[in-house]
Each structure stands twice: as structure tokens, then as C-alpha cells.
Amino acid sequence: MPSLTDLALGLVTLYLVWRLPRGGEVSRHWRAAFAWAAGTALAGAVYHGVLVGIPRVNALSWAVTSIMVVVVVSYLLAASVVQVLGRGRAVVFWLLRSVGLVAYVVLAATGHASITAIMWCESLTMASVLGLWIWAWLRHHPMGGPMLVAIGVSIAAAMLRLVPGAAALAGLDPDSGYHLGQIVGMVLLYHAIASRSGRSDTTALLTPTG
């Protein structure tokens, strides 16, 4: 079941990559985030379905897959910064991003790759993404509300994996519950980006509302 639900997540996300609006730097970041997310899910399907039972390959394949998750988060941050603040503010956030990225690569390289490690190393990056969109919503950015809903659903999906017994309430194992929840989160994220307010790099940038 984890393999099949990861496959479904990968195929849905791959379809959404094709449907995303094109043009502009922010569009490239969003498309990269979705493309890496699709690749990560498809790699996860192979891991759960085939590689998990091969001891010598198991740890290495999981480390590679988990590093791909970190790359997805990197592009989410880049897209959020450019969408909300514009290109000029990206440098500061990439400095923050590098802290979590380097920390996780070191953990993965030393055999400590795990969901818990990702959560700890990516907490600063995800807090930055969430904080950006909360600030944008408070300042009436047209994408603020839809983005916060999508992020909230993704966080709830993560809780199905992290909180013992949460997925069992829906009759699912933690991984399958997480994958299915992320499908909903990715669809909502797509709709937030592909809405009229998200189609233009210039019209969707945050501007003071007086």
C-alpha cells in the first residue's frame, strides 16, 4: 500500500507539473518544486515496493530519496520568496536555507537519514515558508489564503506519519495516510498557484494596500 499510494502521489504531481502556468522566474521555481516532488514520490514508490527489502540498498536509496525531499523544500522556499517579496530578497532566505540543507546532507551521509531528521533540519525552512505566507495573507496578498490552506493540509498529512495511531483511525498505515494526504495538499497548492492571482509574476507580488 505505501508503494501504491506513493505511485499515485507521483503520477498526480507529475500531471500537475504539466498543468502549471509557464513563464517568469517564479513559475520556474514552482515547476521545479512540483517536478522534484513528483520524482521523489515515484522514487518512494520504488523504495517501498522493491528496495526496502534489500539490506545493502535500503539505507542508500532512502538517503537519496530523503535528500530529494530537501530539494523540494528548497524550491518551495525560493518560489515563495520570489512570489511574495520579489527577487531582491531571495539572498537572505537562501542563507537560512543553506543551514538546514547542509545539516541534513551531513546526517544522510553518516547514515542518519529519517523523517525525524528531515523535520528537525527543515524546521527553519518550513517556518520561513509558513511565515512568509502568513505575513502575505495579513497584507492581503491574493494567494495568501489558498496557500495557507494547502500548507495546512500538507502539515496535517505529515502528522498522520509522525503521530502514533493517527493514520490507524482512518484504517491506513502511516506512510499511506501521509501519501494520500499529500495528494490533496499538492492539488490545493496547484490551485493556489494556477489561480488568476498566481499567473503573473508582477501582479501577484505583495504590494502595500494602504
Side-chain angles (χ1 to χ4, degrees), residues 5 20-21 31 39 51 54 64 69 79-80 93 96 110 113 118 121 123-124 137 140 150-151 169 187-188 193 201:
T5 52
L20 279 170
R31 290 175 63 81
L51 302 179
I54 306 175
V64 172
V69 174
S80 297
F93 282 89
L96 293 174
T110 56
I118 291 176
C121 294
S123 58
L124 179 60
W137 174 67
H140 307 292
I151 293 171
L169 296 176
V187 171
L188 290 173
I193 298 165
D201 288 2

Side-chain angles (χ1 to χ4, degrees), residues 116-162:
T116 302
I118 291 176
M119 293 296 291
W120 279 109
C121 294
E122 297 302 284
S123 58
L124 179 60
T125 304
M126 289 308 300
S128 298
V129 173
L130 182 60
L132 273 171
W133 286 109
I134 290 175
W135 185 75
W137 174 67
L138 292 174
R139 302 279 293 187
H140 307 292
H141 189 291
M143 288 174 62
M147 286 297 300
L148 289 178
V149 171
I151 293 171
V153 170
S154 293
I155 292 174
M159 292 301 102
L160 292 176
R161 174 181 269 170
L162 296 174

